């Protein structure tokens, strides 16, 4: 059990900063390298330039640096086959193969897998012809959910309140190619009523080890208004997710999914993210992701007491049998500060002030997402700029601490939601 491990983390967003921050706490880690990283990650790891989606380049770096474990943050390197390349060279990697990552890479594949194996999800149809999709939609009433089949950076899902709106979106996605090739096929599904919850689980190919629940906030503005984004904040735990519900999700969704993937010759190792809707009929799957969620990770990992390196090594080795997870009882809240214009076009290079002051507050961690260093100053370099996370005895305490920290940080045009964890607070 080497205490001199060298780790490589792929990616450079808020999720990867949270991963590096947590991995860094392990007594077994000597050095972490991040490809490509960001200005916040650079304070904890050695950032190297390059393309994390190029399997051969990543493998060459792993061999040159003598990396003991590679942790793949975003979805694109998984779909590009980075894990396959590393496994083929006998290297330990945390993240599923390209075949297993199809669970996120293709919405149509995920829906068909769930249908074949009786995993609860919304009724759906798949179309590769805009005319057929339009005819199907015109004959429906009420709201529909339209999903581009491929990867669209978390933005490829549209809720159409009525058929006319759905028809306009079919044209936008399939004809005007709003999401590029991701919209070659379109999944149209029934709209599910209920409360959403995100559940992440560690997987070793046959076993699952669920994490604590979280709830994401997808819309850009307060009261769930405005366009869909990659996520404007998250909190953990979600009160809707009772221990009874957690047991049911593990039995009816998480375990059956990992069993189904193994049965179809696509054993799943890494983290499985289930986006769930808690309906009147019980939990149903909205989507699967094949990696840690962003910003859910920033709310979940600060609550993890266990050594993340040990858990990831067990997943990579295909043996979680002796692994258990310990969690802090506190709640965590993450508020995303975004660049002006996000999720549309946004300016980069805006100077950020107040980071030191905010980060010095008790139980507050400021995770960098879209940042860079320029002439010795931290500047904005992405749409979602920071994820300001706080722990507290209750969700309400964590909310107050997080917004206290947000108030101390400034960059021109910064915008953020002021109602993160509203649902939890409304439950009292």
């Amino acid at each position: 059990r080497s205490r001199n491990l060298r780790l490589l983390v792929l990616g450079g967003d808020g999720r990867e900063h949270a991963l590096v921050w947590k991995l860094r706490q392990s007594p077994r880690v000597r050095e972490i390298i991040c490809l490509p990283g960001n200005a916040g990650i650079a304070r904890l790891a050695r950032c190297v330039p390059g393309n994390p989606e190029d399997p051969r380049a990543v493998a060459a770096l792993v061999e040159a640096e003598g990396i003991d474990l590679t942790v793949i943050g975003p979805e694109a390197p998984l779909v590009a086959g980075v894990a396959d390349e590393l496994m083929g060279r006998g290297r330990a990697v945390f993240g599923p193969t390209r075949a297993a990552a199809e669970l996120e890479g293709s919405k149509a594949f995920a829906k068909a897998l769930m249908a074949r194996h009786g995993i609860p999800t919304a009724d759906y149809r798949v179309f590769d012809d805009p005319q057929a999709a339009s005819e199907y939609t015109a004959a429906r009433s009420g709201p529909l959910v339209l999903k581009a089949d491929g990867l669209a950076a978390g933005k490829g899902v549209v809720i159409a309140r009525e058929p006319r709106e759905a028809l306009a979106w079919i044209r936008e996605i399939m004809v005007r190619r709003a999401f590029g090739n991701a919209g070659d096929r379109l999944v149209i599904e029934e709209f599910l009523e209920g409360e959403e919850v995100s559940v992440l689980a560690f997987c070793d190919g046959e076993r699952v080890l669920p994490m604590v629940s979280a709830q994401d906030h997808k819309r850009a503005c307060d009261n769930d208004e405005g366009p869909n984004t990659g996520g404007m904040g998250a909190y953990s735990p979600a009160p809707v997710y009772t221990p009874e519900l957690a047991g049911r999700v593990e039995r009816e969704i998480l375990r059956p999914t990992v069993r189904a993937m193994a049965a179809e010759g696509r054993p799943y190792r890494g983290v499985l993210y289930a986006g769930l809707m808690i309906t009147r009929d019980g939990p149903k799957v909205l989507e699967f992701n094949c990696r840690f969620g962003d910003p859910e990770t920033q709310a979940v990992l600060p609550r993890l007491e266990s050594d993340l390196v040990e858990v990831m090594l067990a997943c990579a080795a295909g043996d979680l049998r002796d692994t258990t997870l310990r969690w802090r009882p506190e709640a965590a809240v993450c508020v995303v500060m975004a660049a002006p214009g996000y999720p549309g076009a946004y300016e980069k290079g805006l100077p950020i002030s107040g980071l030191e002051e905010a980060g010095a507050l008790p139980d507050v961690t400021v995770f960098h997402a879209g940042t860079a260093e320029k002439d010795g100053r931290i500047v904005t370099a992405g749409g979602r700029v920071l994820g300001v996370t706080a722990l507290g005895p209750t969700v309400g305490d964590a909310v107050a601490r997080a917004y206290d920290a947000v108030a101390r940080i400034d960059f021109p045009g910064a915008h953020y939601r002021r109602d993160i964890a509203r649902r939890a607070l409304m439950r009292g």
Side-chain angles (χ1 to χ4, degrees), residues 213-297:
S213 63
Q215 196 169 64
D216 183 15
H217 299 64
K218 278 277 182 227
R219 297 300 188 105
C221 309
D222 288 1
N223 303 315
D224 294 325
E225 289 173 5
N228 250 344
T229 70
M232 292 299 292
Y235 66 96
S236 172
V240 67
Y241 201 68
T242 60
E244 177 203 30
L245 196 53
R248 191 170 166 187
V249 166
E250 189 174 344
R251 283 192 311 276
E252 295 178 15
I253 291 170
L254 299 174
R255 275 194 225 141
T257 300
V258 170
R259 271 203 303 269
M261 292 294 279
E264 299 204 1
R266 303 170 185 250
Y268 193 97
R269 290 183 185 179
V271 65
L272 179 64
Y273 166 127
L276 307 174
M277 183 68 84
I278 310 305
T279 72
R280 279 200 301 265
D281 305 325
K284 293 189 178 186
V285 177
L286 292 172
E287 64 169 354
F288 283 122
N289 292 331
C290 292
R291 31 84 196 179
F292 279 95
D294 189 343
E296 292 93 338
T297 306

Side-chain angles (χ1 to χ4, degrees), residues 2-349:
S2 164
R3 301 187 80 77
N4 271 330
L5 297 177
R6 309 191 74 211
L7 272 47
L8 171 65
V9 175
L10 300 185
D13 288 326
R15 161 188 48 226
E16 286 77 36
H17 189 181
L19 284 166
V20 168
W21 170 84
K22 188 68 200 168
L23 291 165
R24 187 77 258 176
Q25 295 167 17
S26 169
R28 297 190 60 190
V29 171
R30 187 176 90 199
E31 185 184 19
I32 301 178
I33 296 171
C34 193
L35 170 71
N38 62 38
I41 293 171
R43 286 166 164 57
L44 301 170
R46 172 155 61 91
C47 294
V48 297
N51 178 9
E53 294 166 38
D54 179 340
R56 287 198 176 152
V58 172
L61 178 66
V62 164
E63 298 196 337
E65 293 282 358
I67 297 295
D68 298 294
L69 174 69
T70 300
V71 177
I72 303 178
E75 59 275 22
L78 295 168
V79 173
V82 170
D84 307 65
E85 180 72 29
L86 293 173
M87 286 175 192
R89 298 181 185 216
R91 295 290 183 168
V93 58
F94 180 83
T97 59
R98 176 192 272 152
E102 200 168 349
L103 205 48
E104 175 169 6
S106 167
K107 301 271 193 295
F109 168 78
K111 294 296 282 191
L113 180 97
M114 288 186 270
R116 282 194 296 276
H117 294 272
I119 295 159
T121 187
D123 288 339
Y124 75 104
R125 291 275 300 276
V126 180
F127 297 93
D128 50 22
D129 169 39
Q131 184 61 37
S134 299
E135 285 168 11
Y136 171 78
T137 300
R140 311 279 296 185
S141 62
L144 289 169
V145 181
L146 283 67
K147 296 180 174 179
D149 175 54
L151 293 180
K155 301 185 187 82
V157 178
V158 177
I159 296 168
R161 295 285 159 196
E162 34 115 48
R164 233 189 357 215
E165 193 186 344
L167 291 169
W169 272 106
I170 290 169
R171 276 198 303 278
E172 196 64 29
I173 295 169
M174 298 189 85
V175 181
R176 296 205 180 114
R177 323 281 292 162
F179 304 119
N181 297 345
D184 284 351
R185 282 196 296 180
L186 189 66
V187 176
I188 301 181
E189 53 181 53
E190 67 169 329
F191 176 76
L192 296 177
E193 297 271 4
E195 193 168 339
E196 276 189 57
V197 66
S198 305
V199 180
L200 305 165
F202 291 107
C203 308
D204 67 0
E206 48 181 307
R207 285 165 286 267
V208 297
L209 206 54
M211 298 181 225
V212 289
S213 63
Q215 196 169 64
D216 183 15
H217 299 64
K218 278 277 182 227
R219 297 300 188 105
C221 309
D222 288 1
N223 303 315
D224 294 325
E225 289 173 5
N228 250 344
T229 70
M232 292 299 292
Y235 66 96
S236 172
V240 67
Y241 201 68
T242 60
E244 177 203 30
L245 196 53
R248 191 170 166 187
V249 166
E250 189 174 344
R251 283 192 311 276
E252 295 178 15
I253 291 170
L254 299 174
R255 275 194 225 141
T257 300
V258 170
R259 271 203 303 269
M261 292 294 279
E264 299 204 1
R266 303 170 185 250
Y268 193 97
R269 290 183 185 179
V271 65
L272 179 64
Y273 166 127
L276 307 174
M277 183 68 84
I278 310 305
T279 72
R280 279 200 301 265
D281 305 325
K284 293 189 178 186
V285 177
L286 292 172
E287 64 169 354
F288 283 122
N289 292 331
C290 292
R291 31 84 196 179
F292 279 95
D294 189 343
E296 292 93 338
T297 306
Q298 294 89 299
V300 169
L301 286 187
R303 298 188 58 210
L304 179 66
E305 277 188 340
S306 307
D307 186 329
L308 183 58
V309 175
E310 300 276 7
V311 183
M312 287 184 167
L313 286 169
C315 290
D319 191 1
L320 276 171
R321 270 176 310 197
D322 300 326
T323 307
T324 53
L325 298 178
R326 294 185 316 284
W327 298 96
R328 297 177 63 152
E330 295 100 321
V333 170
C334 171
V335 178
V336 170
M337 299 184 73
Y342 177 81
Y346 52 82
E347 214 182 319
K348 295 182 180 178

